[in-house]
């Protein structure tokens, strides 16, 4: 498939117009998309130069990134960022599906960011916040999460999920105005935590990276459906933690 044909498919299924203003999306490279062919594709969350020795980029015709790269990649690249978070069936919906949440509303109608819903259960069992957090950790494979206003015995009510960057004061405020009980996302900040404390809304920070992984794998599946050879690789969060318990201990970030 010619690259220009593939890019046209991307733009049909994940319109660039859905992206938030100022976001970088689309093709990065010097090769003319009308000329080069694409058969083998590598899908990554981030382009990190220190990870490059673990990847033989010569095996691939195209790199598809979710996050815009801070430096120029070594092979032709296509970025699919906030338009993938927003589009129906994209990253936010993938996160909701992974957590068995049935959506009935969008958090921000002006942008399409976020999904609001409830846990989809075949039984009438009451799901507590403690159990819900345990299931998030197991499903997204995160070792620890940060929470605000968590009561592990309290039943789970209305949930908002936002892939990646949702625990910011503006989005928390929108969730409060819509009567949301819990937000699951990443990128919790001090101002966001203070806002949530005063509004008595529960925040669950399962990390930017982990809340976007369901969407990354779904993106790979979508591209595979075009009849192309696709590999999705996950390098985990781009940092390690150190905890001082008498001595410094390094924790693996995977």
């Amino acid at each position: 498939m010619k690259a220009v044909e593939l890019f046209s498919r991307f733009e049909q299924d994940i319109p660039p117009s859905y992206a938030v203003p100022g976001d970088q999306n689309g093709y990065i490279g010097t090769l003319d998309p009308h000329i080069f062919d694409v058969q083998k594709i590598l899908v990554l969350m981030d382009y990190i130069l220190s990870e490059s020795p673990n990847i033989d980029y010569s095996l691939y015709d195209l790199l598809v990134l979710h996050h815009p790269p801070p430096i120029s990649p070594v092979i032709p690249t296509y970025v699919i960022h906030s338009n993938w978070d927003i589009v129906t069936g994209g990253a936010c919906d993938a996160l909701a599906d992974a957590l068995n949440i049935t959506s009935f509303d969008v958090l921000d109608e002006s942008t399409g960011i976020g999904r609001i819903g409830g846990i989809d259960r075949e039984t009438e069992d009451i799901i507590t916040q403690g159990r819900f957090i345990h299931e998030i950790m197991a499903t997204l494979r995160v070792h620890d999460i940060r929470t605000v206003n968590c009561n592990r015995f309290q039943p789970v009510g209305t949930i908002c999920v936002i892939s990646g960057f949702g625990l910011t004061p503006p989005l928390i405020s929108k969730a409060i105005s819509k009567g949301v009980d819990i937000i699951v996302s990443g990128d919790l900040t001090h101002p966001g935590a203070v806002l949530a404390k005063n509004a008595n809304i529960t925040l669950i920070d399962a990390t930017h990276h982990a809340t976007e992984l369901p969407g990354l794998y779904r993106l790979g599946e979508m591209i595979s459906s075009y009849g192309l050879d696709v590999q999705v690789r996950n390098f985990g969060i781009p940092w390690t933690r150190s905890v001082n318990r008498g001595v410094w201990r390094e924790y693996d970030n995977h």
Side-chain angles (χ1 to χ4, degrees), residues 73-166:
V74 297
I75 61 172
T77 299
Y78 196 94
V79 178
I80 303 175
H81 192 211
S82 57
N83 48 336
W84 180 238
D85 295 313
I86 291 167
V87 71
T88 300
C92 277
D93 288 309
L95 177 60
D97 292 344
L99 299 179
N100 294 315
I101 294 170
T102 300
S103 302
F104 54 73
D105 196 6
V106 173
L107 174 64
D108 185 352
E109 292 89 350
S110 65
T111 62
I113 291 173
R115 301 292 181 265
I116 297 174
I119 295 179
D120 183 15
R121 296 288 180 182
E122 296 180 357
T123 68
E124 297 300 321
D125 291 347
I126 294 176
I127 308 301
T128 63
Q129 289 189 9
R131 178 174 170 184
F132 183 48
I133 289 171
H134 176 78
E135 292 181 357
I136 290 172
M137 294 176 74
T139 300
L140 301 183
R141 298 182 180 182
V142 289
H143 297 303
D144 63 285
I145 59 178
R146 297 186 296 167
T147 64
V148 177
N149 292 330
C150 177
N151 180 343
R152 63 192 183 95
F153 300 109
Q154 182 173 325
V156 169
T158 304
I159 304 165
C160 175
V161 296
I162 309 167
S163 55
F165 61 99

Side-chain angles (χ1 to χ4, degrees), residues 175-247:
I176 292 168
S177 70
K178 288 205 162 189
V180 167
D181 300 304
I182 299 173
I183 308 175
V184 181
S185 189
D187 288 356
L188 177 62
T189 66
H190 186 92
V194 172
L195 172 63
K197 276 282 189 182
N198 286 306
N200 199 32
I201 187 172
T202 299
L203 306 182
I204 301 176
D205 183 352
T207 77
H208 188 124
H209 183 87
T211 57
E212 289 196 324
L213 271 181
L216 191 74
Y217 285 107
R218 179 170 290 184
L219 179 61
E221 292 168 1
M222 188 198 78
I223 300 171
S224 293
S225 72
Y226 300 160
L228 299 171
D229 183 358
V230 179
Q231 182 181 14
V232 179
R233 294 189 66 176
N234 169 30
F235 289 108
I237 58 177
W239 67 80
T240 57
R241 287 192 309 119
S242 295
V243 179
N244 188 359
R245 293 175 180 165
V247 294

Side-chain angles (χ1 to χ4, degrees), residues 33-53:
H34 293 84
I35 296 175
F36 74 94
D37 293 306
V38 176
Q39 181 56 42
K40 298 194 67 175
I41 296 175
L42 176 63
V43 179
L44 299 176
M45 185 82 74
D46 298 282
Y47 182 73
I48 300 175
L49 192 60
S50 62
E51 306 292 352
S52 293

